[in-house]
Amino acid sequence: MPLKLVGALITVGLASLTAYAQDKAPKLGKNTVKEVVAAMTLEEKVLMVIGGGRDAAPSAFADGSMVGSTNFRIPGAAGVTNAIPRLGIPAIVLADGPAGVRMDVKRKNDEHRYFATAFPSGTTLASTWNPELVERVGRAFGNEVKEFGADIILAPGVNIHRNPLGGRNFEYYSEDPVLTGEIAGGIINGIQSNGVGTSIKHFVANNQESDRAGVDVHIDERTLREIYLKGFEIAIKRSSPWTVMSSYNLVNGTHTSERHDLLTTLLRNEWSFKGYVMTDWGGKAKNWTEQMKAGNDMIMPGNNKQIQRIISAVKNDSLEVKVLNTNVERILNIIVRTPSFANYKFSNAPDLKAHALVSREAASEGQVLLKNDAQTLPLSSKQGKVALFGNISYALIAGGMGSGDVNKAYTVSVAKGLTNAGFELDKELSGPYAQYNSNWRNWSKEFPVTDELINKKAAECAVAVLTIGRNSGETKDRDLDHDYYLKPSELSLIERTAEAFHRQHKKLIIVLNICAPIDTKGLKDKADAILLAWQPGMEGGDAIADVLSGKVNPSGKLPDTFAQNYNDLSSASSFPGTPVDEPTDVYYKEGIYVGYRYFDTFKKEPAYEFGYGLSYTTFGFGPIKVNSSTIKDKVTASLTVTNTGKVAGKEVVQLYISAPAKTMDKPMQELKAFAKTRLLEPGATQTITFDIPVSYLASFDNAQNAWVAEAGTYQLKAGSSSRQIKQTISVTLPKTVITQKVNSILHPQAPVNVIKP
Ligand code: BGC
């Protein structure tokens, strides 16, 4: 036989052998995950745990399966995983972020423009105190995740608002872990009801942007468990997110992604988390082998060096293949649930119109009416012309900056929203403002309206509306000057407008389109009404007009305390750590006394307290009834809420508990549960019931490594804010109860000296 033919036959034979081997290989979905993992080469296993980031394309074993770039399927998505077609494993797509699907608007050789809904910021959603509504937002959001072709959305962000200067606070929910956990649970359930996944982030204590990747958070176990872990715990138990994203920072000396006690002992063993853990994108944690061992299953966005490092670690026995198998199994167990695995034919055409309506509803319900003297609001369009001041009135800040930003088709400004609602705006102001705003270099200062023009407008117009705006974003915390504090140009505009309009016996309404709390001294007493709109998403202007006009009765409540003075905040002296410019260490010296826990316990007067928010109607709370005044396993408390005013509205019933403090210090009170009424017509009543298991009464005792509910008298307090407690009842716990004994983990290297009341 000629040599050439032999060669050809061998080639054909080998090819069919390979094809045979390929067919024989187990396939994900047909075979069990364990069988698939058993059939994987070491290289394939490593490909699963390292994301398919831009330079993670190891040609040696690519075999055409590498996706290798986020241009795959959704340009602009944050990351992808590697495909292994031989085993039936598809690549999956991970996209940012908490306010909507983040992707590029333009695609190569494609005329179509790709826009997603920009939903209200996390803080706005938390201000609704309405997990059911937030779940509906999640359902719309998750539909976009699926229809744009993604599998997992890198959201929600649930870090605690430790300090108002935190650059990413807008993405997060609240200073309180119960509110955080319940709202996060709502959005996760909503998103995942579409058959796509979430990634609850950043686990844990990523409470600042100043050197977020290198800062070591020194924190005691009680503070971690009660404040910074609690929101994650509630959300994970309520809604089983598919994945968790570890944070960039260190906790007590070690990067969170390398902490076995955090990612395995606590997350999986104590909380029964069943999904997989991924790192945040890059960062300074470089001990990738340690990450695998810790239970940080996937390293994102992934690069070749990491692949080679993990392969060598297995080869030189510093990483047991058994550990890697577990990491891979967890990832595959999620991949089988994805749309990509089901080969879902996404449309790229979700119903954006319907989702805009949900976004608008959540934006209006997330607004907080801070002040409303002499029924300044609601406004009637029949009252006359509106003089609209402030740059931001004409250019809404829909959301924050960084990976949490969304490319949206449009943003409704306050000006547009008021016009849509039938208000007539004064043109002598709107023209020059539009011109001024068209040059972005002007944005740092308010348009200099002359005294003369203000006086003229005060004579001609019925009312003044003035918007103040603030934005922040990833990688940078906010500044005190010109950011937390009002700018001189803003102070001057507010002062002059208030004076001119009040002289004419006309009102000034201030709208706050802000990312996080600001200092309110320069506006609190000048305005007749103040509406806090936060960053309300792309429908913001319409949502603001809905509340200003009374179409929607405000029912939002503050998720954060507004301090009178920055230095009244318990973290003021330690944020963002030392050295201040590039902090390497931050000591959480305030311990559990964050936000209202500090203000209430240490008797500080806030500007606006946690849970505060006005309505256009009034509500009466009936007395609290309990099923028993002695607690065994749980107590059931109920009360009625009646709309005692003249317009329909919703109220939030906030249940605070004051606990005895014999063996441990306790905050004066803590939010333990809350419920929002339905829309109550005038005179209508609704009964609200809370089930309070004894575990809600427990505090974490470092010495015993246990959650302990001390014997004694507990006060159950129902309020419309943390300081407007309407009804109180006492219940007794006859004996001290250890509600849960946990592992001795996450210790600080040296004791953190936390403040005590
Ligand atoms: C952010 C994450 C984000 C990721 C991917 C990181 O810089 O901290 O929140 O999901 O980038 O864009």
Side-chain angles (χ1 to χ4, degrees), residues 78 96 154 168 171 201-202 212 245 248 280-281 403 474:
D96 279 308
L154 303 171
R168 293 182 85 174
E171 292 183 63
K201 67 189 187 184
H202 308 88
R212 60 177 176 166
M245 187 191 291
Y248 283 130
D280 199 344
W281 266 231
S403 62
E474 210 174 326

Side-chain angles (χ1 to χ4, degrees), residues 395-413:
L396 184 92
I397 302 171
M401 299 176 291
S403 62
D405 195 5
V406 180
N407 293 316
K408 48 221 162 268
Y410 61 87
T411 298
V412 182
S413 65

Side-chain angles (χ1 to χ4, degrees), residues 164 175 517 558-563 569 595-597 599 606-611:
E175 68 185 24
L558 287 181
D560 290 325
T561 304
F562 274 59
L569 294 158
Y596 70 90
R597 286 172 169 76
F599 279 80
Y608 299 104
E609 75 265 17
F610 177 79

Side-chain angles (χ1 to χ4, degrees), residues 604-683:
K604 297 256 178 209
E605 269 312 301
Y608 299 104
E609 75 265 17
F610 177 79
Y612 172 82
L614 302 172
S615 166
Y616 297 150
T617 188
T618 50
F619 296 95
F621 284 34
I624 306 176
K625 295 188 184 126
V626 286
N627 62 336
S628 159
S629 57
T630 313
I631 316 171
K632 288 198 189 81
D633 301 337
K634 67 167 195 177
V635 59
T636 302
S638 57
L639 73 157
T640 58
V641 181
T642 304
N643 183 345
T644 51
K646 295 199 176 67
V647 288
K650 297 181 185 178
E651 177 61 304
V652 178
V653 183
Q654 307 168 28
L655 187 78
Y656 296 88
I657 297 188
S658 299
K662 282 178 272 179
T663 58
M664 271 189 266
D665 57 298
K666 302 276 168 74
M668 191 272 260
Q669 59 179 4
E670 291 182 278
L671 182 76
K672 293 293 176 178
F674 61 90
K676 194 160 197 173
T677 65
R678 61 172 190 273
L679 187 74
L680 293 175
E681 294 298 327

